[in-house]
Amino acid sequence: MFQGTGACMGRRKYVLIVDDCQQDRMAVADVLRSDYDILEACNGKQALEILSRKRAQISLIMLDLMMPVMDGYEFLEMYRKRKEYSYLPVVVCTTEDDPEREQKSLELGAWDFVLKNSSPGIMRLRAGNAIEKSKVRFLEYDFLTGIYGQQKFYQATRELLDQRAGANFAFIHFDIDRFRIINTLYGSKEGDRLIHFVAGAIRKVMTAYGRGTYGRLGGDVFGMCVPYEDGATIYHILEGIRAEIRKHSVHYYLETCAGIYLVDDPDMEVAAMHDNAEIAAAQCKGQYMVHDVLYTEEIGQKVLREQHIIDEMDAALAEQQFIVYFQPKYQLKKMAPYGAEALVRWKNGEIVLPNEFIPIFERNGFITKLDYYVWEKVCQFIDSELSQGRNPAPISVNVSRVNLYNPDFMDSLIDLIHRYHIPPHYLNLELTESVFSEDAELIQRAVNYLHDAGFTILMDDFGSGYSSLNILKDVDLDVLKIDMKFFSKGNTAEKGAKIIEAVIRMAESLDMMVIAEGVEEKHQEHFLNDLGCDYIQGYYFGRPMSQDQYEKLTNHEEEEQRDMP
């Protein structure tokens, strides 16, 4: 192998000249050297070796056909099997003007054919044209899969929609479920192999269907736009693709997701059609056995609402639009308020309820900031009560599961009570049962650490999961909160009552207190009182209220206690 030494080496394009005749290599090199740096190989095998090392640097191959070891035809056979070479142009350069050789070369993947005795201008023009065509092809076709890239797919889809005005079209977003995990666990080569296989499955099915466009939009995402007469056509195409994918030999779980947007406005931007299909596909994630979702206006409005919440959340926190409310807890024996649970509402001209924004904040991590904001507001309230000589009952605050994976969580909470000079028993911490099932060892360490710091730990929603008893065995908790949903009406009411009774008896034997939440009716109060439940919380006794209302409630109760003989 010989390498040229142009003055601009490393900056200009490289041409690989493959010819067993040194004199012919030099002649071609002399023609092209003014515009390109030169690499040389004396047969097809040597050329493949150079390509394996320097593919990214090479812009063109000038290939002779008659060579020892591996001739030009054999080289082209190997070349066209490698998808990474699909954008690398090959111009066959021979001595003889033979139509049969030219046709065979083109059939094997050569981009052009030029005679060695062509004028220098013709040879430079053929070389330059091949390189320019490769640039266009690179923009139009996906490098890994050989199907349309995003830009060309969008263009072809627009042309299809314009040509077939009045036809029904479906735009499909198609992706590989949990692809990032597959790529991480099995490596990028396996990830690329999988993407290439999926693209081949789509190509095969769409070619058989004979209508529509398809392309790779990036990563593991593919797009298709298909005309259809009825909805069954769409699902038939998707099932055909999945049937092909199931032929892929893998030793891991492989599923795909599809979002389908039925095009109701053919003049809509193709990218906007994909956005809608992508929104629908997102609804599949985390849903067992749900692989296809049809876009609806309701889904679109939900996503827009979520995005609006995300866009507003930072400003809302800075402007203190999040308001802390207090829902009082009552001691059943004394029928008197004793502490409260701190809840949050979002006021920005309207009241946004927690079930609308909390799940979004948990997904994007903003919940850590909101939790801290609530904790600090509660600490400020407790500090104010203590500074006025009162002895407030504990306030419980919610701790999101996201916080437990935050390495600064525990220290920041302890720093907060130190800053406001609050003994930790005034601030109780509520963790939902589902938190404990995710990483038991991590949660146990966190609970032990917080216990050692003096905090009281409550398990919220006890009994809603599948590991409640194991948690009680392994984690040192202080209070169980049970939801009165167990006390449902109908045929299961009696069983629910027995479950609540069993939980209260078990908690007593473990020296744990019980708070029943969701108490909304008088007969529930009597039932819980008879069982010896410690505390109750619910709309029957008190709805979530502002800080001022809660202060009035507790101060009034203190005055009544003082006035009692």
Side-chain angles (χ1 to χ4, degrees), residues 379-397:
C379 286
Q380 290 170 353
F381 169 69
I382 296 172
D383 178 47
S384 173
E385 292 285 286
L386 291 172
S387 65
Q388 295 178 59
R390 300 191 181 105
N391 183 28
I395 304 294
S396 64
V397 295

Side-chain angles (χ1 to χ4, degrees), residues 10 67 84 108 117 126 167 297 302 318 359 368 373 420 476 493 530:
M67 296 177 291
E84 63 267 36
L108 287 173
N117 61 1
R126 292 289 178 91
E297 193 64 30
K302 177 186 174 185
T368 59
Y373 172 90
Y420 288 97
D476 187 17
D530 291 342

Side-chain angles (χ1 to χ4, degrees), residues 320 324 372-382 547:
Q320 301 191 47
V324 176
Y372 188 87
Y373 172 90
V374 172
W375 302 339
E376 184 163 26
K377 290 295 182 183
V378 171
C379 286
Q380 290 170 353
F381 169 69
I382 296 172
Q547 180 175 312

Side-chain angles (χ1 to χ4, degrees), residues 61 121 151 172 249 404 492 497 499:
I61 299 172
Q151 183 177 342
I172 303 170
S249 177
L404 294 169
T492 60
I499 291 172

